[in-house]
Amino acid sequence: MIVALDGTVLVVAQPSMRRDLGATVAQVQWTSTAYLLTVAAFLVVAGRLGDRYGHPRLAVIGVLGFAAASAGIALAPGVGWVIALRAAQGLFGALLQPATLALLRLAYPPDRLGTPVAIRTSAIGVAAAAGPLLGGLLVAHLGWRAVFVVNVPIALAIAALILAVRVREPERTGAGRPPLGSAALLVAAVAALVHALAGVPAYGWTAPPTLIGLGGAAGLAVLLVRWERRAAHPLVPAAVARSVPVMASMALLLTASGGLSGALFTATFLLQDVRGLGAFDTAVRLLPLTAVMVAGAPLAGIAQRRFGARRIALVGTGLVALGIAGLCTESLTGAGGAVLGAGFAAVMVTATGTVVGDAPPGYAGVIGGLKQTATNVGPALGIALAAGAGAGDGAAGAAAAGGTTPALLTLAALAAVGLLPASLLPGRPRGAAAGDLVGEDAGQRGERAPAAHRPADRERR
């Protein structure tokens, strides 16, 4: 929740920060990009460290580091310090996010994860919606630095709560040497991909910086796959990499989060730059989306237990695509936003519940890191697609002000692609042993059922 709040509250503070520090637009953009790069690049590595050293420990380190970086930003004398500390904040945020999902997996059996996952989704929605409103109040009365000061007491309270609540952890995996080679390749690949996508609004899809970044990310990904296949202690265990439900959930989260973020990016530009609304009025227009998402998350958890992940994911994905297409109206919000919020809540709760519930006990952190990586890369992809289709272009926005926009139709198509991975999720609710991958039998893994634990056994030896 604190990470989601920090991400949205900064948007309102950036203009004031720019004036106070005498920064350029590019430097202010890097206060967001530096955070996005580090948090996306280190999520899986952080999850692996949690599996090795314990998730409560990693969560406490992450939240205290996040607080220290926030305090440093509040005292920063220049924009260079802000950018560097935002990168550090992203690193500690990466330590924190997979740990929270892994702690849910440790505290609840797979068949009872729906409710806590739904509560987590609702909390993130509330934080994301409250961010611009809280940021506006803080900046107006106390200045932009107050946006970061407010993180400190919240983070300290979270750390105290983590230390006070004890959960039983399974035997930790990865007793051997940490997979430094795989970790370095993964960090470099994700950083190159996110950096290239973040630059699309400025450079376009065919510019040399974009092509070089995407090509570099693809090359590093190929090297990572080859390295992982030969590694004695892979970063992503074979039981996880071969799990159809886990990989399908990753793809679904990427497409849904990309569609949602790109649609919000497009709607914000059209409402403010074309129709002349202020930031507060724009936030109010988007409240129905957030309200339905927050209210719909618990209902999605109940529906998943009754009808199964596949059906709810298919319905949710369809609603996301229809909701984005429904934004192609004069109001840009209203019914289309409500449908989009309901669909996204269903996708998030279903895919997250499947991912966390399917995690073998020793690898909950890795899977949590993969899930968070998908939901961090997805928005970068969605915004890049929106920008490439004309979102943010004043002329294109004015031409589309009274009807559909190519950007929204492109994003609806991206969301619709998620129907394929949604169809691969488990078809009906079923209980599972704590170490099994829900919805995956021995035949899907291509090995005997006990082999799901072989990577952990090999590493312990």
Side-chain angles (χ1 to χ4, degrees):
M1 185 172 180
I2 187 175
V3 176
L5 179 66
D6 191 74
T8 57
V9 77
L10 179 63
V11 175
V12 181
Q14 283 178 331
S16 177
M17 177 194 300
R18 178 190 175 192
R19 292 190 296 269
D20 184 43
L21 299 178
T24 65
V25 174
Q27 288 173 323
V28 171
Q29 181 181 3
W30 266 101
T31 63
S32 295
T33 303
Y35 177 86
L36 178 63
L37 281 173
T38 51
V39 76
F42 285 96
L43 281 166
V44 178
V45 177
R48 192 70 163 92
L49 291 174
D51 290 334
R52 176 179 170 85
Y53 297 109
H55 296 291
R57 181 182 301 177
L58 262 290
V60 170
I61 293 173
V63 74
L64 291 179
F66 196 90
S70 297
I73 295 171
L75 300 173
V79 70
W81 281 97
V82 174
I83 294 172
L85 288 168
R86 281 288 285 172
Q89 196 178 42
L91 175 60
F92 288 112
L95 293 178
L96 180 61
Q97 292 184 64
T100 60
L101 288 171
L103 289 173
L104 287 181
R105 176 64 176 86
L106 296 172
Y108 295 91
D111 59 343
R112 293 177 56 199
L113 272 171
T115 299
V117 167
I119 293 173
R120 180 182 184 271
T121 301
S122 296
I124 292 173
V126 170
L133 301 176
L134 176 61
L137 291 174
L138 290 174
V139 172
H141 294 90
L142 300 174
W144 68 268
R145 296 178 188 272
V147 168
F148 296 96
V149 173
V150 75
N151 286 335
V152 177
I154 297 175
L156 294 177
I158 293 173
L161 183 61
I162 294 173
L163 292 174
V165 176
R166 298 291 182 181
V167 296
R168 183 182 61 84
E169 292 198 62
E171 184 178 353
R172 295 172 188 168
T173 61
R177 181 172 56 86
L180 299 179
S182 297
L185 287 172
L186 177 64
V187 168
V190 174
L193 175 61
V194 173
H195 186 270
L197 292 174
V200 170
Y203 303 114
W205 283 101
T206 58
T210 303
L211 295 178
I212 292 172
L214 294 177
L220 289 167
V222 171
L223 289 176
L224 173 63
V225 171
R226 292 182 177 179
W227 187 287
E228 284 279 273
R229 287 178 175 176
R230 297 195 302 265
H233 308 288
L235 183 65
V236 179
V240 174
R242 295 173 185 173
S243 169
V244 173
V246 169
M247 293 299 107
S249 296
M250 299 301 148
L252 178 57
L253 288 167
L254 187 145
T255 56
S257 62
L260 174 68
S261 297
L264 292 177
F265 176 85
T266 304
T268 299
F269 268 99
L270 287 175
L271 288 171
Q272 294 191 31
D273 292 354
V274 177
R275 298 181 185 172
L277 296 181
F280 183 80
D281 290 335
T282 299
V284 170
R285 288 285 190 98
L286 297 175
L287 281 179
L289 184 154
T290 306
V292 174
M293 185 173 72
V294 171
L299 298 177
I302 296 172
Q304 180 184 354
R305 290 196 299 272
R306 181 172 181 180
F307 300 107
R310 182 187 304 163
R311 291 181 181 178
I312 303 306
L314 286 170
V315 171
T317 303
L319 290 176
V320 170
L322 289 174
I324 295 173
L327 293 178
C328 298
T329 63
E330 191 167 350
S331 65
L332 278 173
T333 51
V339 171
L340 174 56
F344 190 74
V347 170
M348 279 293 293
V349 170
T350 303
T352 303
T354 300
V355 166
V356 180
D358 289 358
Y363 293 120
V366 169
I367 291 185
L370 287 171
K371 180 265 176 186
Q372 294 298 134
T373 300
T375 55
N376 276 271
V377 174
L381 173 61
I383 292 173
L385 288 174
D393 184 336
T404 62
T405 68
L408 290 174
L409 294 178
T410 300
L411 294 164
L414 172 66
V417 171
L419 291 170
L420 177 59
S423 68
L424 300 177
L425 296 186
R428 58 185 178 86
R430 51 171 282 201
D436 291 339
L437 294 173
V438 175
E440 179 185 33
D441 55 23
Q444 285 175 297
R445 286 193 299 265
E447 54 191 352
R448 295 186 305 274
H453 301 291
R454 286 179 183 169
D457 294 338
R458 182 171 64 245
E459 290 181 352
R460 283 195 290 269
R461 287 198 295 269

